[in-house]
Amino acid sequence: MKEWKKNYDLYLLLVPAAVFFIVFAYVPMGGLVIAFKDYNLFRGLWGSDWSGLANFREMFSIPEFFRITRNTLLLNLLGLLVCFPAPILLALMLNEVRSRSFKKISQSMLYLPHFMSWIVLGGIVYAVLSPKYGVINQILRWLGMKEIYFMADQTWWIITYTLSAVWQSAGWGTIIYLAAITAIDPALYEAASIDGAGRIRKIASVTLPSIMPTIVILFILAVGNMVSIGIEQPLALANSVVSNVSEVISTYVYRVGIKQGEFGLTTAVGMVQSVINLCLVVAANHFAKRAGGEGLW
């Protein structure tokens, strides 16, 4: 109680965040009961008949389930391999920029895509990669090469999806890493300079080890989302030609759950997805601590 009274103002700052998670994360968990019911919209949550594990059996029996799970894992794995290191490298490069004005302008330009809707970003991607009018294909034709149908070829679509995710998120992701870098004791850099270390050596021996706890925590959180994927980017970039690789769990839940009214089935899919994510977070945290690093708990 002494601690609460002493720092009551700091605890009050947590109230909005606590209310947010209670309302949008914990209260909706009551709806998980739909996964075990033959849900009827008119009869309501508690008026619908119990169906036991019927929705889960149906989930594993549909041919699309393993395809959409494969697509979700593939896109998230590529995101982990490409998108996760991008803000780290970007933060390291920005930290080495000595011109304050150039640094501020660069940061503002890099942050901008984060504040734009994926509908807008998707439109830009389609315009830039258009086979007939897109800038990229016009350059390819100027070089004597054939145009590439980026959004109609499955391999190129996956590459475009991954790189557009880097473009949208890398700049915003640098904020956390730059904050961690600014907290590094300048005496460490001074000692490295006295020892004759150059910029690259300082990054390898001072900067990276100092921000490693932050990297590990964000990596654990990223691993915990391996089976989850937002709906905005797949909906904005997907089309019927590449549906074999663009259909993911979130778009399936939207298409089947909301459009076709299969609420019980899609709730079961979301529940399995959440359980797998929880297991991945626990496993990643365990291995991080076993490797000598710091975990989430």
Side-chain angles (χ1 to χ4, degrees), residues 81 92 97 108 152 163 165 186 190 199 201 230 244 271:
L81 294 175
L92 293 174
V97 174
S108 299
L163 294 181
E190 293 174 5
R199 285 193 176 187
R201 188 63 180 176
N244 192 47
M271 187 174 181

Side-chain angles (χ1 to χ4, degrees), residues 164-275:
S164 63
V166 174
W167 173 46
Q168 191 268 347
S169 62
W172 184 254
T174 59
I175 294 176
I176 297 175
Y177 294 111
L178 285 172
I181 290 172
T182 55
I184 299 174
D185 188 353
L188 296 174
Y189 290 107
E190 293 174 5
S193 298
I194 293 172
D195 290 338
R199 285 193 176 187
I200 302 298
R201 188 63 180 176
K202 287 178 183 177
I203 292 172
S205 300
V206 179
T207 309
L208 278 175
S210 298
I211 66 172
M212 191 54 66
T214 304
I215 294 174
V216 170
I217 289 173
L218 293 178
F219 180 77
I220 292 171
L221 294 174
V223 170
N225 288 319
M226 279 296 293
V227 193
S228 298
I229 197 167
I231 193 174
E232 296 89 355
Q233 187 182 3
L235 275 182
L237 298 181
N239 57 75
S240 58
V241 180
V242 292
S243 60
N244 192 47
V245 294
S246 65
E247 184 83 36
V248 292
I249 292 176
S250 57
T251 56
Y252 177 81
V253 168
Y254 168 72
R255 179 169 59 86
V256 176
I258 297 179
K259 285 190 171 182
Q260 299 179 17
E262 294 286 345
F263 299 107
L265 174 61
T266 51
T267 303
V269 173
M271 187 174 181
V272 170
Q273 176 182 324
S274 299
V275 170

Side-chain angles (χ1 to χ4, degrees), residues 28-102:
M29 287 181 71
L32 290 176
V33 73
I34 296 175
F36 304 96
K37 288 199 167 194
D38 183 13
Y39 183 71
N40 186 300
L41 187 63
F42 299 100
R43 296 175 65 182
L45 181 61
W46 303 112
S48 301
D49 297 327
W50 289 95
S51 62
L53 299 176
N55 288 319
F56 294 92
R57 286 193 290 268
E58 184 181 354
M59 175 186 70
F60 288 110
S61 65
I62 56 177
E64 292 176 307
F65 177 73
F66 295 99
R67 177 173 62 85
I68 62 176
T69 304
R70 178 205 66 190
N71 295 342
T72 304
L73 288 172
L74 173 63
L75 294 177
N76 277 331
L77 182 61
L78 289 173
L80 194 64
L81 294 175
V82 180
C83 298
F84 183 78
I88 301 174
L89 296 174
L90 201 55
L92 293 174
M93 288 189 289
L94 286 172
N95 186 57
E96 296 301 316
V97 174
R98 294 294 174 257
S99 173
R100 288 191 175 183
S101 57
F102 179 77

